[in-house]
Amino acid sequence: MSLTRDDVKKVARLSRLRMDDQQLDELAPKLNGILGFIEQLSEVDTDNVEPLSNVARSTLPLRDDVINDGECRDAVLANAPESEEGFFAVPKVVE
Amino acid sequence: MTHALIKGETGEWEMVIGLEVHAQVIANSKLFSGASIEFGAAPNTHVSLVDAAMPGMLPVLNQHVVEQGIKTGLGLKAQVNKYSVFARKNYFYPDLPQGYQISQSDHPIVGEGIIEVDLPDGSTKEIGITRMHLEQDAGKSVHDMHPSKSYVDLNRSGSALMEIVSEPDIRSADEAAAYVNKIRMILRYLGTCDGNMDEGSMRADVNISVRKPGDEYGTRAEIKNVNSIKAMTQAIGFEVNRQIDIIEDGGEVDQETRLWDPVKLETRALRSKEDAHDYRYFPDPDLLPLELTDELIERIKATLPELPDEKKHRFMNEFSLNAYDASVLIAEQNRAAFYETVVKTAGDAKLSANWVINELLGALNKAGKDLDDSPVIAEQLGQLVARIVDNTISGKIAKDVFADMMESGKDADLIIDEKGLKQVTDTGAIEAIIDEVIVNNPDNVAAYRGGKDKLFGFFVGQVMKASQGKANPTIVNELLKNKLS
């Protein structure tokens, strides 16, 4: 699999990363190098092997349905560039 | 028959609809954090650092929500998957602080199921469920508080939603409404969602395409911001015509997300097409797969209540009710329980159904009251109906008694006693009244005997009036017929 310059541009835009032309030119071959490196894994015969997405040998921990968090608005808003009347204030995003 | 075809310039069109219903799970705390999900709190108070997506925060799954999900799956007669996986759905929006929504993609907690929906003409139709998964809700953006800014409230952020996806089995706005109603009813019976569309705890996205009957599916558009059944019906009507017009003018429908505008009554394109549905799902590395045991599923199965369709069919069998009456009575659990208590006290199932549906619900509706606030409780209504059944009062007098009960909250027996409304069944007393009526109306008696049968009603009326409505109508009829012949 190989990434084109347009693919990189699209992925960057989906991630809201601004890339100038020079960066795009540099990144495409770099990312392709990484992908090529990872693709070596496909040389391993994995027929009849269940896909594995996690190597932890534990089960998913669950919590009881109790309210024991929240009510910390000052902390939640502390890093907001702007907040008003308890809300985050962001540039208008009406569609 | 609600399979409505729409007439276009080039012939008839069929609509194909699939619905995604988002239902907020009844719980105390959020899907992955211990913050409260209570509605209506001051902005950004029911928010933990997990919900605000602060760096280093880790999600921990709420066990009760998992159980609610299993319960819902069982209630939808669907496959509960013992293995499911939480995945990240990536998109950017100010009310989604993580930059992704934790959802389920390839391995949802619930698979295929089926529900039966009740159509306005009394018929039923089966609609397939494709899947149901658990996911986080987003925060809320407020656009109208500041001229150049949007305000973001994260109170809803991270609350648990169930997304129930239907098969594209729906063929009309009526069927879509019936489907949402039935889902709502099932969730309310189960106690897994309160179904309150006004507060946004149930929302629907509508996938619509059109085709000539028998053709392959057309390209679909997804309509969002449909917040009531009325809006859904309007949005479907608009969108179907928009798509037919495009195709008949030689164009093609774009696969896109559109927004319903409840003011302008139209749908319009929402997200730019090239970004659409590029969510780049991948398993959330913060969460292990969710594995359920048979024991847990069986334990939850044992707690399921009698579901709406089962109750409806039982009412039809046990009480010989028609499909319409049964579906009105089972629409809410408390209404069904109320009815069953009335029947138990009164004995007559059909008469009890009439009284609950026509008199009680009608009066409550008029007074703007819920059944839970009814001044007349089930046992009291049962006693009233019982007095009609045992001929203590007529149905007509019963309506007066009922009006008094709604007003005063008194028992039927007390009112009947106090007002002396007990029906006269003593044939001697009734005969005396009839004799008097006959004596006082010689002309009409002669006319009746001369063949004017219609005058019989006049005599019944006179006798009832003379008895102040208390004479038993059946006895009056019988005796009158004898005396006048």
Side-chain angles (χ1 to χ4, degrees):
Chain A
M1 138 164 210
S2 160
L3 280 178
T4 65
R5 194 175 173 282
D6 282 347
D7 290 333
V8 178
K9 196 172 171 182
K10 184 182 172 194
V11 174
R13 198 164 53 78
L14 286 170
S15 308
R16 299 302 190 270
L17 296 173
R18 185 180 294 136
M19 299 271 159
D20 59 30
D21 284 350
Q22 194 197 331
Q23 284 173 307
L24 286 175
D25 288 336
E26 284 170 15
L27 259 182
K30 276 188 187 168
L31 284 172
N32 275 322
I34 294 167
L35 286 174
F37 177 68
I38 293 169
E39 249 169 29
Q40 288 180 45
L41 289 172
S42 63
E43 288 166 22
V44 180
D45 179 7
T46 56
D47 288 353
N48 305 317
V49 179
E50 283 283 307
L52 179 74
S53 61
N54 201 304
V55 292
R57 283 176 179 274
S58 56
T59 52
L60 179 64
L62 300 172
R63 33 172 284 274
D64 289 337
D65 181 29
V66 290
I67 300 168
N68 55 14
D69 204 349
E71 313 310 315
C72 52
R73 179 155 80 187
D74 291 346
V76 166
L77 294 174
N79 295 316
E82 247 187 286
S83 63
E84 281 171 38
E85 296 177 54
F87 292 95
F88 291 90
V90 302
K92 203 154 206 134
V93 280
V94 165
E95 292 195 71
Chain B
M1 178 77 189
T2 59
H3 190 120
L5 293 177
I6 303 110
K7 208 152 177 58
E9 307 214 326
T10 59
E12 289 187 317
W13 294 85
E14 177 183 62
M15 61 179 100
V16 175
I17 298 172
L19 290 173
E20 293 167 16
V21 172
H22 295 84
Q24 194 182 83
V25 181
I26 293 178
N28 297 315
S29 63
K30 293 185 177 178
L31 180 55
F32 295 115
S33 89
S36 166
I37 63 163
E38 186 200 6
F39 181 79
N44 291 309
T45 52
H46 290 345
V47 182
S48 78
L49 298 182
V50 178
D51 310 317
M54 293 298 168
M57 295 295 109
L58 284 174
V60 187
L61 184 58
N62 183 331
Q63 165 137 22
H64 180 63
V65 171
V66 171
E67 294 180 4
Q68 293 281 62
I70 296 169
K71 204 172 191 182
T72 304
L74 295 170
L76 296 172
K77 305 212 182 339
Q79 167 76 32
V80 175
N81 293 324
K82 292 200 287 183
Y83 177 88
S84 66
V85 176
F86 286 96
R88 292 185 180 180
K89 178 181 181 178
N90 300 278
Y91 67 93
F92 264 94
Y93 207 70
D95 57 24
L96 186 77
Q98 287 165 159
Y100 57 85
Q101 174 193 35
I102 305 178
S103 179
Q104 297 186 305
S105 175
D106 296 340
H107 299 279
I109 187 167
V110 172
E112 290 185 1
I114 205 151
I115 67 165
E116 185 183 295
V117 305
D118 304 296
L119 300 169
D121 65 357
S123 65
T124 59
K125 174 173 173 169
E126 288 191 339
I127 307 282
I129 304 283
T130 310
R131 56 182 281 157
M132 186 205 89
H133 63 255
L134 295 172
E135 63 182 27
Q136 293 176 303
D137 206 345
K140 222 176 209 162
S141 303
V142 185
H143 303 297
D144 55 6
M145 284 178 68
H146 191 284
S148 61
K149 295 207 166 68
S150 291
Y151 284 175
V152 178
D153 173 13
L154 298 182
N155 279 347
R156 208 178 59 186
S157 170
S159 293
L161 294 178
M162 301 179 280
E163 177 174 328
I164 302 164
V165 183
S166 86
E167 293 286 305
D169 289 345
I170 297 166
R171 294 287 176 277
S172 70
D174 278 346
E175 288 183 12
Y179 172 82
V180 173
N181 273 326
K182 185 46 86 61
I183 293 277
R184 181 174 179 276
M185 208 188 288
I186 291 170
L187 300 187
R188 284 172 57 85
Y189 265 63
L190 293 168
T192 57
C193 172
D194 66 22
N196 191 333
M197 295 184 93
D198 292 338
E199 290 182 4
S201 45
M202 222 179 105
R203 293 146 13 218
D205 295 340
V206 187
N207 286 294
I208 307 183
S209 62
V210 297
R211 66 175 174 185
K212 290 282 171 70
D215 281 2
E216 299 282 303
Y217 290 141
T219 306
R220 67 190 156 86
E222 182 181 4
I223 319 294
K224 289 188 179 282
N225 196 36
V226 182
N227 297 327
S228 67
I229 289 182
K230 185 176 164 220
M232 187 175 72
T233 306
Q234 291 172 326
I236 290 171
F238 176 89
E239 181 61 18
V240 164
N241 285 314
R242 187 188 72 89
Q243 293 187 9
I244 292 173
D245 286 350
I246 289 174
I247 300 170
E248 292 194 331
D249 287 347
E252 279 181 18
V253 174
D254 290 330
Q255 180 164 346
E256 63 185 357
T257 302
R258 299 178 68 83
L259 187 78
W260 171 245
D261 184 330
V263 179
K264 293 184 184 160
L265 300 180
E266 61 179 27
T267 65
R268 58 172 185 270
L270 180 67
R271 297 200 173 113
S272 72
K273 226 182 321 167
E274 41 187 330
D275 291 354
H277 304 296
D278 200 345
Y279 292 131
R280 295 151 293 148
Y281 280 99
F282 64 92
D284 191 317
D286 289 341
L287 292 157
L288 289 161
L290 173 61
E291 293 184 54
L292 307 175
T293 61
D294 287 323
E295 291 72 33
L296 177 66
I297 297 171
E298 285 307 314
R299 183 167 67 72
I300 293 169
K301 200 180 244 169
T303 68
L304 287 187
E306 183 182 33
L307 290 163
D309 287 339
E310 293 159 15
K311 206 183 272 289
K312 180 176 142 193
H313 293 139
R314 179 168 67 80
F315 276 21
M316 291 170 72
N317 292 330
E318 199 172 308
F319 302 131
S320 305
L321 299 180
N322 62 38
Y324 176 80
D325 285 354
S327 59
V328 172
L329 290 170
I330 61 102
E332 302 283 347
Q333 262 165 321
N334 62 348
R335 188 185 295 176
F338 192 104
Y339 168 70
E340 290 202 79
T341 306
V342 174
V343 176
K344 207 181 280 168
T345 320
D348 187 320
K350 177 65 193 160
L351 191 61
S352 297
N354 289 343
W355 272 84
V356 171
I357 296 171
N358 300 323
E359 304 304 326
L360 178 76
L361 294 180
L364 289 173
N365 193 27
K366 218 167 161 188
K369 283 194 172 126
D370 285 335
L371 185 59
D372 289 337
D373 309 323
S374 172
V376 176
I377 62 167
E379 285 79 2
Q380 289 178 305
L381 186 62
Q383 187 185 66
L384 176 66
V385 177
R387 292 302 162 258
I388 308 171
V389 175
D390 69 14
N391 279 325
T392 304
I393 53 173
S394 68
K396 192 160 173 294
I397 294 279
K399 289 190 185 187
D400 297 338
V401 176
F402 177 70
D404 195 333
M405 291 167 75
M406 286 295 286
E407 206 51 45
S408 65
K410 286 183 192 162
D411 280 355
D413 280 351
L414 185 64
I415 294 168
I416 293 167
D417 223 38
E418 280 178 356
K419 296 196 170 172
L421 298 173
K422 197 168 179 313
Q423 188 160 249
V424 179
T425 50
D426 169 6
T427 48
I430 295 175
E431 269 183 83
I433 298 172
I434 291 175
D435 289 341
E436 205 183 315
V437 168
I438 289 176
V439 171
N440 291 340
N441 295 280
D443 295 353
N444 280 333
V445 173
Y448 177 81
R449 290 193 173 135
K452 252 184 123 181
D453 290 351
K454 277 185 187 161
L455 278 170
F456 191 70
F458 164 79
F459 290 110
V460 174
Q462 289 296 309
V463 174
M464 293 307 288
K465 198 172 154 195
S467 75
Q468 290 164 312
K470 290 186 284 187
N472 176 298
T474 316
I475 299 175
V476 170
N477 272 282
E478 242 169 60
L479 293 179
L480 256 178
K481 242 173 227 157
N482 289 335
K483 296 241 173 202
L484 287 171
S485 60

